[in-house]
Amino acid sequence: QHRDRLVTAADFREITASTPGADLGRVEVLPLFNPQATAEASARMLFPGCVTVLVVPRTDAAARDFPSPTAAVLDAVATYLEPRRLVTTEVHVRGPEYVDIVVSVGVVALAGQQLSLVVQRVQDAVRSYLSPLHGGPAAVGDAPGGWPLGNPVRVQDIEAAATRVPGVRYVDSVRIATVTGQGQILTETPDVAMSGLQMPRATVFATGGNAAAPADLLGLGARPTRSQVAVPVLQPEC
């Protein structure tokens, strides 16, 4: 403890979490990280004196599963930290940068299990597994604290999370796709890399049997195009 001064990473976490008027569900501290730098620069160099504080609110009426701090919350945290930082420290306060993905899981239920209930449990479990507040792979005995920064979303991890759901005999297949801001599928991929302040914002589907194509689930599958052929018209002659 450094008498209400921001010296260590633990100081940043504890003091940020105690910001008056900010109900925070998660605080992460990234030393030597500058969120204003490009992704390429952040990957190859450190920024001495920079400390980035990531805050995730406990609740968000606009996005319950993937909350983001409002400008007022970010300003309250920054204002609270400013007089407590060292003169040589440059502090940045940010919310998560969500990466939109679609996850499709196909499962086979145990005999005697109602498939619709098992599918719903799988969907809920995978959505919770990818949560920024409660999800993430955790060691035995450790409570998940939200999807870890820098941790990619992999097909194998989704399969493991779905397999643990009661009533699942086995996972038939998992498909993951990244999505643009305009809601168009970019590509299917076995894993989605996360860097910096990025965390997944997943739309999760579960079905019995084979996993459906993410593009089809969002209604963005290939549509037949109507071909047009020019037909000459003969003008009537007198």
Side-chain angles (χ1 to χ4, degrees):
Q1 300 295 326
H2 292 275
R3 296 186 179 182
D4 206 33
R5 299 290 291 173
L6 298 169
V7 179
T8 68
D11 296 332
F12 274 91
R13 281 191 294 270
E14 294 171 8
I15 293 176
T16 300
S18 64
T19 302
D23 186 17
L24 303 178
R26 178 178 177 183
V27 176
E28 294 283 350
V29 181
L30 291 78
L32 308 178
F33 178 79
N34 187 345
Q36 297 176 341
T38 63
E40 293 77 9
S42 297
R44 68 173 183 268
M45 65 185 296
L46 302 177
F47 296 86
C50 273
V51 177
T52 297
V53 180
L54 169 71
V55 295
V56 183
R58 198 177 308 278
T59 59
D60 185 346
R64 183 188 64 180
D65 294 327
F66 303 99
S68 295
T70 63
V73 169
L74 293 175
D75 184 64
V77 173
T79 301
Y80 190 66
L81 298 183
E82 174 60 25
R84 293 165 173 80
R85 69 176 179 88
L86 301 180
V87 175
T88 55
T89 303
E90 178 183 339
V91 180
H92 300 269
V93 182
R94 294 289 189 274
E97 297 175 359
Y98 287 117
V99 177
D100 290 314
I101 66 174
V102 178
V103 178
S104 176
V105 186
V107 298
V108 174
L110 289 168
Q113 295 286 329
Q114 187 174 344
L115 179 60
S116 60
L117 294 179
V118 173
V119 164
Q120 185 61 52
R121 289 192 211 114
V122 169
Q123 187 168 303
D124 294 341
V126 173
R127 186 182 294 112
S128 178
Y129 178 71
L130 296 170
S131 165
L133 291 177
H134 314 293
V140 176
D142 292 342
W147 192 261
L149 293 177
N151 196 70
V153 179
R154 307 187 309 160
V155 163
Q156 296 91 333
D157 294 330
I158 301 299
E159 182 177 353
T163 302
R164 292 191 291 266
V165 175
V168 172
R169 182 183 174 196
Y170 63 87
V171 176
D172 179 89
S173 51
V174 176
R175 301 174 73 168
I176 302 176
T178 54
V179 185
T180 66
Q182 290 74 36
Q184 300 296 318
I185 297 294
L186 286 180
T187 183
E188 289 194 37
T189 176
D191 59 77
V192 181
M194 299 286 159
S195 62
L197 303 175
Q198 292 179 336
M199 282 188 278
R201 178 165 54 196
T203 301
V204 181
F205 298 92
T207 56
N210 294 329
D216 294 340
L217 291 168
L218 292 186
L220 301 174
R223 296 181 174 88
T225 57
R226 180 179 300 175
S227 59
Q228 295 181 347
V229 179
V231 178
V233 178
L234 298 179
Q235 296 297 325
E237 295 181 1
C238 296

